Amino acid sequence: MKARMTNPAKVLPDAMTGIQNIYKAMYQGGVDPHTLELVHLRASQINGCSACVHAGVAGAKKSGETDERLHAVAAWRETPFFSDSERAALALAEAATRLADRSGQAVPDEIWDAAADHFTEEQLAAIVLMIATTNFFNRLNATVQEPAGAGWN
């Protein structure tokens, strides 16, 4: 598969600079990088972004994540492989990614409160930014049909 166009974040150089600054801030937010990688992967799975799923698995493996856990992310509720804090982050990722699936509160209080029980405000900021940035890239990649393995995001 060939992309329809060069990814818009690459076409406009100032866009990539801003995105890189967001990533730098996220990874300085005090959250275990494995948790951020899991959040990225789960949101990308939900959105069906093959480029981000591929990049997410590659990045997680590079940071030492196990195949066992990576294979189980889509079914994290039914597996014993994730900590309570990771489960809270994954639930938040799902709720914040599936905004249109709910009426009323897009992210229910019980999901937010569970995350807030495990993470500080700074850490929550990093997780929420990871979710939002992942959804941003998922939408860019799906729109331009960025192929898996393109090797940049």
Side-chain angles (χ1 to χ4, degrees):
M1 177 191 286
K2 185 176 185 300
R4 290 177 168 153
M5 67 174 279
T6 302
N7 196 293
K10 285 178 149 180
V11 173
L12 304 172
D14 287 344
M16 189 50 89
T17 300
I19 293 163
Q20 288 169 337
N21 286 333
I22 291 171
Y23 269 100
K24 181 179 176 185
M26 282 186 294
Y27 281 96
Q28 292 175 346
V31 178
D32 182 329
H34 288 153
T35 300
L36 291 176
E37 295 292 342
L38 294 172
V39 163
H40 169 78
L41 179 57
R42 185 64 191 123
S44 298
Q45 289 172 334
I46 291 166
N47 289 323
C49 179
S50 64
C52 286
V53 168
H54 185 272
V57 168
K61 287 183 83 158
K62 186 176 179 181
S63 72
E65 191 56 81
T66 67
D67 286 338
E68 180 178 60
R69 284 168 39 98
L70 291 172
H71 292 303
V73 169
W76 62 269
R77 285 180 180 85
E78 289 81 30
T79 66
F81 308 133
F82 303 99
S83 69
D84 288 344
S85 63
E86 290 168 334
R87 290 174 183 283
L90 288 165
L92 183 58
E94 288 184 356
T97 297
R98 293 181 164 146
L99 295 175
D101 290 354
R102 290 185 173 34
S103 59
Q105 286 183 313
V107 176
D109 285 339
E110 58 269 14
I111 291 174
W112 180 263
D113 292 344
D117 286 345
H118 293 281
F119 300 102
T120 66
E121 185 170 22
E122 184 176 76
Q123 291 170 322
L124 284 169
I127 293 167
V128 170
L129 282 170
M130 176 58 86
I131 296 164
T133 306
T134 299
N135 277 281
F136 167 77
F137 270 110
N138 292 166
R139 280 146 181 79
L140 288 178
N141 291 337
T143 300
V144 303
Q145 296 182 340
E146 186 82 22
W152 81 277
N153 104 350

